[in-house]
Amino acid sequence: MEIQVKNISKIYGANENPVVALNCTSMTIHEKDFISIMGPSGSGKSTLLHIVSGLDNPTSGSVLYDGADIHKGSDKELSAFRRQKIGFIFQQFNLLPVLTAYENITMPLLLDKKQADEEYLQKLTSLLGLEKRLSHLPHELSGGQQQRVAIARALIAKPDIIFADEPTGNLDSKSGGEVMKMLCEIHGQMHKTLVIITHDPRIAEMAQRRFTIIDGELSEVNP
Ligand code: ADP
Ligand code: MG
């Protein structure tokens, strides 16, 4: 799937104190790209990722997946599209605290009334080193383990594209390194498109295409 981001702007609080979070941003994401986006705090990274993944609407501009504008349909269509085609990994993991790791991972399927593909689930949990942790609640897991559960959840519906917003931002460097190694494996072995936001230049350099964003202006490094 090819994603075209065309002239996206996002202005928050249009009336009194407008904040221009993104200023006419364009980019094309090709199938199987591994892209990193770096930028200081407040530069518009999360805003961009949320709009490209359909979690938020742009003020103007469009996001086309294979030519179709994802922001044109109903909210219901967009959430179904997101559940089936897109995996999103948050800095704060965003696991449901009352559900076990297994239940968190399979949640997106439940919403679509689908059964887990047990063989695939097993492959995922072994790749992520979670086999012995599936019956645990999030608070019984380390930060790194919680993020690996969140990665499994992002992959369970076999999406084509993974977006990760500072996925190692809440982890110590060792668990962060493990999480990054797994994301790289997922890109390489499972042939997913991977777009990752980071503060960490070492992580940014792992990507094949690197972007920076400053004050809502995106640019590609050595395009
Ligand atoms: P980053 O992820 O790079 O730290 P964000 O995309 O979260 O940056 O934010 C970009 C800018 O937009 C910041 O100035 C931030 O304060 C502002 N912003 C983000 N979300 C909102 C919101 N819901 N309402 C008002 N301003 C916001
Ligand atoms: Mg952010």
Side-chain angles (χ1 to χ4, degrees):
M1 193 133 41
E2 180 163 288
I3 309 170
Q4 282 175 288
V5 179
K6 285 191 172 169
N7 305 325
I8 291 285
S9 293
K10 180 72 176 182
I11 301 167
Y12 290 110
N15 304 329
E16 283 155 23
N17 287 312
V19 175
V20 181
L22 284 177
N23 187 12
C24 205
T25 295
S26 297
M27 72 190 294
T28 300
I29 302 169
H30 310 287
E31 208 162 293
K32 304 192 183 101
D33 267 356
F34 177 4
I35 289 178
S36 66
I37 303 173
M38 258 191 106
S41 185
S43 57
K45 303 182 297 297
S46 296
T47 302
L48 174 64
L49 217 61
H50 290 171
I51 291 173
V52 175
S53 64
L55 279 169
D56 196 4
N57 290 308
T59 306
S60 61
S62 52
V63 179
L64 310 178
Y65 280 66
D66 282 345
D69 188 336
I70 56 164
H71 296 288
K72 281 272 160 67
S74 67
D75 284 354
K76 210 176 148 193
E77 282 167 350
L78 181 54
S79 8
F81 174 80
R82 290 192 42 246
R83 282 201 302 275
Q84 290 153 19
K85 300 288 180 196
I86 294 173
F88 203 103
I89 300 163
F90 300 89
Q91 180 176 348
Q92 320 278 358
F93 324 135
N94 285 7
L95 300 177
L96 291 168
V98 296
L99 299 185
T100 63
Y102 180 90
E103 290 164 341
N104 268 289
I105 293 169
T106 52
M107 190 63 180
L109 299 175
L110 221 70
L111 294 169
D112 279 324
K113 301 190 175 61
K114 284 191 188 139
Q115 292 287 317
D117 170 346
E118 287 298 331
E119 200 180 316
Y120 176 67
L121 182 66
Q122 197 150 19
K123 185 177 149 198
L124 268 185
T125 49
S126 99
L127 178 78
L128 292 163
L130 290 169
E131 299 102 319
K132 298 206 172 75
R133 292 286 180 271
L134 291 176
S135 60
H136 291 235
L137 293 168
H139 80 264
E140 298 166 333
L141 301 172
S142 71
Q145 288 166 341
Q146 289 184 56
Q147 191 61 303
R148 286 185 266 139
V149 169
I151 294 172
R153 177 183 59 185
L155 286 163
I156 193 69
K158 304 179 183 169
D160 302 324
I161 305 145
I162 305 290
F163 293 105
D165 189 351
E166 303 199 43
T168 64
N170 271 20
L171 303 176
D172 60 73
S173 65
K174 181 167 175 279
S175 341
E178 282 163 11
V179 158
M180 270 318 297
K181 185 169 160 272
M182 286 164 188
L183 285 174
C184 288
E185 280 172 16
I186 286 159
H187 170 259
Q189 295 176 19
M190 299 173 109
H191 312 294
K192 307 285 182 194
T193 306
L194 177 60
V195 182
I196 187 165
I197 284 178
T198 181
H199 261 103
D200 185 339
R202 285 168 307 177
I203 292 177
E205 277 163 22
M206 292 178 195
Q208 295 151 348
R209 294 176 68 202
R210 291 166 54 200
F211 289 77
T212 55
I213 183 166
I214 295 172
D215 288 341
E217 307 267 358
L218 184 75
S219 49
E220 185 160 7
V221 181
N222 306 322

